[in-house]
Amino acid sequence: GRDWSSDVCSSDLVHGLAQRVPQQGEELMTLAEELRRDALLNVAKAMLQRGFDLQLIMEMTGLSQEDLYQLQS
């Protein structure tokens, strides 16, 4: 299986850099948010493929029903 800890470490790294480089902080935080969202979408997709309930996936990931429908198509 995939090692999700690398995604968390990448996000932590970006967050740390954003704090050290204020003029680039907003761009780095946007990147961190994109990395986090990509990771959540990957987790949700795997859950969908394994037959998890949509409501449970939404509760656990914070993704919307529309997000999940897009993953299914």
Side-chain angles (χ1 to χ4, degrees):
R2 182 179 165 130
D3 180 8
W4 295 104
S5 63
S6 62
D7 290 325
V8 173
C9 291
S10 298
S11 183
D12 289 345
L13 173 64
V14 172
H15 182 71
L17 288 172
Q19 291 178 330
R20 291 187 183 98
V21 188
Q23 63 273 28
Q24 301 297 321
E26 188 173 322
E27 289 178 35
L28 289 170
M29 289 309 297
T30 299
L31 177 60
E33 290 167 8
E34 288 177 20
L35 288 171
R36 181 181 177 276
R37 180 163 170 81
D38 286 347
L40 286 173
L41 289 169
N42 285 329
V43 168
K45 188 172 186 175
M47 292 174 79
L48 286 168
Q49 290 171 343
R50 287 168 179 76
F52 280 74
D53 178 69
L54 289 179
Q55 188 64 37
L56 178 64
I57 298 171
M58 289 188 297
E59 289 174 20
M60 294 181 72
T61 63
L63 295 171
S64 70
Q65 191 172 23
E66 183 178 324
D67 291 329
L68 299 182
Y69 286 151
Q70 288 177 1
L71 287 175
Q72 290 177 315
S73 56

